[in-house]
Amino acid sequence: MTAVYGLYPDGASAQQAVNRLRAAGVLDRDITVISAQPMEDYEFGQMDKATWMWWFACLGGLIGLSAGLGLTWLTETSWPMDVGGLPIYAWWPNTIIIFEMTMLGAIVATTLTFVLSALWPQRGRTLYDPEVTEGQILVGVEHPVDELVSELERALSAPPGARVKTR
Amino acid sequence: MPRWGMAVDLDRCNGCAACVVACHAENNISTVGADEAARGRAKHWLRIERYWEGEFPDVRLTFRPVLCQHCDNAPCEPVCPTYASHHTEDGLNAQVYNRCIGTRYCANACPYNVRFFDFFNPSWDKPLHLQLNPDVSLREAGVMEKCTFCVQRIQAAGTQASAEEREVQDGEIQPACVQSCPSKALVFGDLDDPGSRVSQLSRSPRGSKLLEDVGTRPKITYLARQSQA
Amino acid sequence: MTHPTGSRINNDLLRPLLLTSWRFYVLVAFFGAFVAAGLIAWLSQIFFGFGISGLRWPVYWGFYVTNFVFWIGISHAGTLISAILRLVNAGWRRPVTRCAEVITVFALLIGAMFPLIHLGRPWLAFWLFPYPSERLIWPNFRSPLVWDFFAINTYLTGSILFLFLPMIPDFAVVRDRATGLRRRVYRVLALGWRGTPKQWHRLETAMQIMAIAIIPVAVSVHTIVSFDFSMAPVPMWNTTIFGPYFVAGAIFSGIAGLLIAMAALRKFLHLEEYLHPVHFENLGKLLLVMALLWGYFVFNERLVTYYGNGPAEMAVFRQTQWQSFAPLHWTMVFLNFVLPLTLMGIRKFRTIAGCVIASIGVIVGMWLERFLIIVPALGHKYLPYSYGTYRPEPVEIVITIASFAAMSLLYVLFAKFIPIISIWELKAGEHPPAPDLVPPATEEHRLGDLRL
């Protein structure tokens, strides 16, 4: 047995299923919810909301800024070239390079954080049902302890419209 | 370090264009032929601008040889992405053909329109192909080229002088245009040497710079015309 | 505004992917032929030399740079508008964002081609790239063209990611719906998307950060494109107004491009139930605002030049206002100001057809605007002896047409392989409000979106 889960037609019954699983003693981090769209109007849709992504974006921006500064500073001072009477290290024009590198760093860092935190495969977290695409909401528990399966099935089948499956 | 510059006496220039021919010959500037020249592809590093003043029949003809002004604040230099256009230590506005990728930005930035683009690979009508100057590299299609103040002659004179353990004398270096000018309208030399002829002429009250108000600080001084002829 | 729901959305929006009509092949062949002609034209320009173009001393920039600025301008349709609409959480944005963002990516790709096409030695274009080379020299970071390289690089990277991230859940939909090879391809593209709350939150947070980051980048990109001109001491170029003027013009032409694309999608993919007249009306109002802004900038630029009465500037000014470029100039004013003001300002005309007519006018007008910025100024620069003019040769015209065909071709292909309207965002917009019996999301949860 790798998973026991229910499919629910709407957010309200999915919310009931989540509440009953909690009542049955399942921790939030063990509950798997899958939907075809963000369900932020429901409480269960708010799980795992906290993220460090903003800080990683800032960090990426900082790295990009340093890269831009280093690139312009090192190359222009190592190969000093006089062009049109501008200073060898001209701040105003180089600000543009530094700005673009900063933003690039932030964008890349955001994407990396997203990929690593949301898409990177987690061991044992593979539960999925193609019916989700058609609007069903999946609530389930992966790798349940065998003794608890029947209790979980009871909890999952209680909300209206539930269809409980095991895998 | 010298600071090379030029003085052009407009009183002496009679518009004969010997300098233009000499420049073409010295610097291996390809002749593009009549058709291409009519399409605006002629490359005269040095050109004689001809202006008519007054109303017929009371007209006056004036000439102005225009070549790269080797500006101290050259607008063509900072815009080049590859440093093909940059400033040398002796004040020349250098163009490194091998670095040039042909954005043509320098030509746009130049207020004097003295930079030229090679639209095709160079070719010469016979027998001009037999008189190429071995001291000057040929430019392939797609690069910008312009007056160098005959940098090959400046280098050669400097090498000769250092071999003979002496300084380069005033008047020793003559770019092709200066050498060929029959009326001696062009004077070339070191602007940092207060005794040189060119710096004496540059300080003349007749002197002015071309498009001085653009702020490019050109190194060519034009001596205003005084005669009424 | 009502939309179909649930499976209906899937069916409608996946139909173009799963069913192919003969019209698709005809369109691809039609646009592909033009693109092929453009490629041949470019290759012949490389082979025979740049001389086969119409460029001449002293007008060294012509159609290619016009196209470059034009397409970079068009690219401001998508990511910028979509990012702003996302940040202000405009509900009507949902069917619009993706078809807008796609325009950005493709217009940027096409626009970024033009500096290469325009190079004298395009095979050396990589010298703009900052890398330690055996030539012992780096790019000149003081050159506006290098700024262009960095700005477009950042903007393109950001736009592609901004487009791609919200496509991942839709790839998962296709994966679940399709069979065979298609299923395997979309399985890879979906990157293991399941749809857990964590994934949705991360996606939405990522999109918010990207939206915040991409707006200043988009503004900077077109400002830097304007710097290509305003950094040079050329009469009528060297002016501080060019930055905002170009940004406004870019958004203006971008909205016009978006309206045309939306009208075409609506008609050919039968998306009448998704792209409503209200979308066109809203974007039409935006077009009206930008037309007014454009007129304001042009008036500023012109009046200041006229009053300053500098001899060099006035030489260019007269050319555009009364002399050889006047017909083009006044056509531009009509197409960019009078026409959109009439069509978009009067409610009766603010229909889909009215929007499309105004947009086509704006596209042509904005192309002319860039041409009229570049060519008259270069042709009348200071010394009257060096005045010149410019006339495009066939190679430039073919490549210009090919760029429009390339845009259409890429758009057709994209709409064929990827749902052109974001499925999950549409679904997220339509789900009903939470019933009372469920513990509702607290105010804190809702505001969580904006938490730093």
Side-chain angles (χ1 to χ4, degrees):
Chain A
M1 172 106 21
T2 58
V4 51
Y5 64 94
L7 291 169
Y8 304 89
D10 54 43
S13 49
Q15 182 68 55
Q16 283 189 29
V18 171
N19 292 348
R20 281 174 188 273
L21 283 181
R22 283 179 183 147
V26 185
L27 294 174
D28 267 13
R29 66 160 185 268
D30 291 329
I31 299 176
T32 302
V33 180
I34 297 178
S35 56
Q37 69 241 41
M39 304 295 287
E40 286 176 359
D41 286 343
Y42 297 94
E43 188 273 337
F44 73 85
Q46 307 291 338
M47 290 196 290
D48 289 316
K49 189 150 188 171
T51 177
W52 287 85
M53 202 181 266
W54 291 95
W55 295 108
F56 282 116
C58 293
L59 182 69
L62 216 56
I63 292 171
L65 186 142
S66 325
L69 193 62
L71 187 67
T72 49
W73 181 269
L74 289 177
T75 58
E76 290 187 3
T77 49
S78 326
W79 282 266
M81 294 281 249
D82 182 7
V83 286
L86 283 182
I88 292 300
Y89 191 79
W91 277 104
W92 285 103
N94 290 337
T95 307
I96 293 172
I97 305 285
I98 294 169
F99 170 77
E100 298 296 342
M101 293 289 281
T102 306
M103 297 319 258
L104 186 64
I107 288 169
V108 170
T110 305
T111 310
L112 279 180
T113 315
F114 171 70
V115 168
L116 290 179
S117 71
L119 296 179
W120 203 257
Q122 285 171 297
R123 229 149 54 92
R125 295 281 181 149
T126 54
L127 178 58
Y128 189 70
D129 193 307
E131 279 192 60
V132 169
T133 295
E134 303 307 324
Q136 300 285 323
I137 297 164
L138 183 153
V139 179
V141 178
E142 293 182 67
H143 308 292
V145 186
D146 284 342
E147 299 85 72
L148 286 175
V149 169
S150 55
E151 191 187 339
L152 292 175
E153 280 180 349
R154 244 196 332 279
L156 286 171
S157 56
R163 283 183 294 132
V164 177
K165 296 183 180 183
T166 54
R167 168 171 297 177
Chain B
M1 259 299 160
R3 206 170 133 260
W4 303 114
M6 190 183 272
V8 181
D9 191 340
L10 297 179
D11 240 351
R12 286 170 174 270
C13 177
N14 60 11
C16 71
C19 47
V20 178
V21 178
C23 178
H24 267 266
E26 168 73 15
N27 290 300
N28 295 339
I29 307 171
S30 57
T31 53
V32 295
D35 289 347
E36 282 296 302
R39 295 179 65 200
R41 269 74 184 276
K43 292 173 283 184
H44 303 310
W45 289 7
L46 167 58
R47 64 173 182 261
I48 306 286
E49 293 196 348
R50 187 187 64 187
Y51 291 104
W52 296 94
E53 290 175 12
E55 291 294 321
F56 184 82
D58 188 20
V59 290
R60 207 174 79 140
L61 189 58
T62 57
F63 299 104
R64 183 194 290 275
V66 176
L67 60 160
C68 174
Q69 307 286 310
H70 290 271
C71 313
D72 280 344
N73 282 351
C76 56
E77 289 169 358
V79 299
C80 177
T82 56
Y83 288 119
S85 176
H86 67 98
H87 224 64
T88 65
E89 286 177 329
D90 46 354
L92 293 180
N93 175 239
Q95 175 74 8
V96 183
Y97 306 124
N98 286 334
R99 284 180 195 159
C100 180
I101 57 175
T103 66
R104 306 191 287 290
Y105 199 170
C106 52
N108 289 351
C110 175
Y112 310 98
N113 281 332
V114 290
R115 296 178 146 267
F116 299 91
F117 183 64
D118 284 292
F119 284 96
F120 294 108
N121 277 323
S123 64
W124 284 266
D125 293 335
K126 286 176 185 172
L128 287 175
H129 68 294
L130 294 175
Q131 64 95 51
L132 294 182
N133 184 351
D135 291 338
V136 178
S137 59
L138 296 184
R139 283 79 62 181
E140 78 167 334
V143 306
M144 298 299 303
E145 57 180 56
K146 64 173 255 307
C147 164
T148 61
F149 267 168
C150 286
V151 66
Q152 67 279 8
R153 295 191 177 199
I154 297 174
Q155 302 282 7
T159 313
Q160 185 70 26
S162 67
E164 294 170 9
E165 296 180 344
R166 60 175 174 84
E167 296 288 305
V168 177
Q169 303 300 305
D170 185 37
E172 190 180 345
I173 303 173
Q174 282 200 319
C177 49
V178 175
Q179 190 183 17
S180 66
C181 183
S183 54
K184 303 275 176 254
L186 308 172
V187 177
F188 179 84
D190 181 4
L191 290 172
D192 275 359
D193 173 5
S196 70
R197 268 200 76 212
V198 68
S199 52
Q200 285 168 1
L201 288 174
S202 301
R203 293 194 296 270
S204 155
R206 288 167 60 208
S208 70
K209 314 279 191 196
L210 189 55
L211 299 179
E212 197 165 6
D213 50 340
V214 180
T216 52
R217 294 169 63 210
K219 280 202 277 290
I220 294 185
T221 305
Y222 288 91
L223 303 180
R225 190 164 165 173
Q226 293 169 308
S227 63
Q228 295 301 312
Chain C
M1 176 173 35
T2 55
H3 289 299
T5 53
S7 299
R8 182 76 199 289
I9 294 178
N10 288 352
N11 291 335
D12 282 353
L13 296 182
L14 292 183
R15 196 189 322 114
L17 278 72
L18 303 176
L19 302 174
T20 309
S21 84
W22 57 271
R23 264 171 292 182
F24 168 75
Y25 297 106
V26 171
L27 271 181
V28 168
F30 179 75
F31 292 130
F34 280 104
V35 174
L39 277 178
I40 291 168
W42 185 25
L43 287 176
S44 59
Q45 178 179 290
I46 293 172
F47 183 78
F48 293 113
F50 217 94
I52 66 170
S53 75
L55 296 173
R56 49 179 292 171
W57 178 82
V59 184
Y60 281 133
W61 285 4
F63 263 36
Y64 297 147
V65 176
T66 305
N67 286 331
F68 165 67
V69 182
F70 173 79
W71 283 112
I72 301 291
I74 292 290
S75 80
H76 280 56
T79 308
L80 183 60
I81 294 169
S82 150
I84 292 171
L85 294 181
R86 272 178 208 277
L87 282 184
V88 300
N89 204 9
W92 60 275
R93 76 168 196 276
R94 295 178 186 278
V96 178
T97 49
R98 182 165 301 159
C99 44
E101 288 156 16
V102 182
I103 295 181
T104 296
V105 171
F106 291 154
L108 267 183
L109 289 172
I110 293 168
M113 283 294 290
F114 275 100
L116 301 187
I117 296 171
H118 141 102
L119 278 191
R121 301 200 289 174
W123 50 93
L124 296 176
F126 64 92
W127 285 358
L128 285 180
F129 198 84
Y131 69 105
S133 75
E134 82 291 349
R135 297 162 56 238
L136 294 179
I137 196 157
W138 290 73
N140 178 7
F141 294 116
R142 286 159 283 185
S143 164
L145 295 179
V146 177
W147 308 343
D148 266 343
F149 173 83
F150 275 82
I152 291 176
N153 187 36
T154 300
Y155 192 38
L156 186 60
T157 310
S159 297
I160 289 177
L161 293 170
F162 196 69
L163 171 69
F164 184 78
L165 293 189
M167 279 182 347
I168 295 172
D170 286 356
F171 287 141
V173 174
V174 189
R175 171 192 68 193
D176 293 345
R177 276 298 192 93
T179 52
L181 175 68
R182 206 180 259 139
R183 186 189 180 93
R184 288 206 294 279
V185 170
Y186 285 97
R187 183 194 300 280
V188 173
L189 286 173
L191 297 172
W193 180 268
R194 294 197 296 158
T196 60
K198 185 178 183 180
Q199 287 180 319
W200 289 119
H201 288 314
R202 295 296 179 278
L203 179 61
E204 293 197 325
T205 311
M207 288 308 289
Q208 251 172 19
I209 299 175
M210 301 276 267
I212 290 170
I214 210 92
I215 291 172
V217 170
V219 171
S220 82
V221 166
H222 222 75
T223 308
I224 289 169
V225 168
S226 85
F227 285 171
D228 286 351
F229 305 102
S230 54
M231 291 293 146
V234 174
M236 296 290 284
W237 278 15
N238 193 351
T239 156
T240 49
I241 206 170
F242 262 26
Y245 177 32
F246 272 52
V247 173
I251 300 171
F252 188 32
S253 63
I255 294 169
L258 176 58
L259 278 167
I260 294 174
M262 275 169 51
L265 288 174
R266 181 180 145 95
K267 183 149 180 59
F268 293 117
L269 298 182
H270 304 291
L271 297 175
E272 286 87 353
E273 288 183 67
Y274 298 89
L275 298 170
H276 293 254
V278 69
H279 294 125
F280 291 85
E281 170 142 11
N282 284 349
L283 284 171
K285 284 178 191 157
L286 215 48
L287 194 73
L288 176 65
V289 170
M290 297 315 295
L292 289 167
L293 200 55
W294 181 87
Y296 165 75
F297 277 122
V298 171
F299 182 70
N300 267 285
E301 188 216 10
R302 296 277 140 182
L303 183 65
V304 168
T305 308
Y306 181 74
Y307 233 77
N309 203 18
E313 278 79 12
M314 282 309 281
V316 182
F317 185 81
R318 278 193 294 270
Q319 281 297 319
T320 52
Q321 227 63 22
W322 304 298
Q323 293 171 8
S324 44
F325 292 95
L328 291 178
H329 178 84
W330 294 110
T331 310
M332 167 190 87
V333 170
F334 174 78
L335 292 174
N336 277 352
F337 193 70
V338 181
L339 186 68
L341 218 59
T342 319
L343 288 180
M344 299 294 100
I346 299 170
R347 178 175 289 177
K348 199 171 68 174
F349 296 137
R350 214 185 296 136
T351 57
I352 295 179
C355 283
V356 170
I357 294 170
S359 298
I360 292 173
V362 169
I363 292 282
V364 175
M366 285 310 291
W367 194 93
L368 284 176
E369 189 226 66
R370 277 64 180 257
F371 182 79
L372 288 169
I373 284 170
I374 295 167
V375 172
L378 288 180
H380 298 83
K381 196 166 64 178
Y382 299 112
L383 301 173
Y385 181 86
S386 64
Y387 281 3
T389 188
Y390 161 80
R391 189 180 292 268
E393 290 290 323
V395 61
E396 292 158 290
I397 296 169
V398 169
I399 289 180
T400 302
I401 294 172
S403 70
F404 285 86
M407 184 72 204
S408 315
L409 178 66
L410 289 168
Y411 214 86
V412 167
L413 290 175
F414 185 88
K416 178 72 210 154
F417 293 111
I418 288 150
I420 193 70
I421 290 178
S422 184
I423 293 175
W424 69 268
E425 284 183 273
L426 212 55
K427 286 180 184 167
E430 49 87 5
H431 65 84
D436 296 336
L437 64 151
V438 184
T442 62
E443 198 56 26
E444 196 184 358
H445 281 138
R446 291 176 186 280
L447 292 175
D449 285 357
L450 293 173
R451 186 180 53 189
L452 264 170

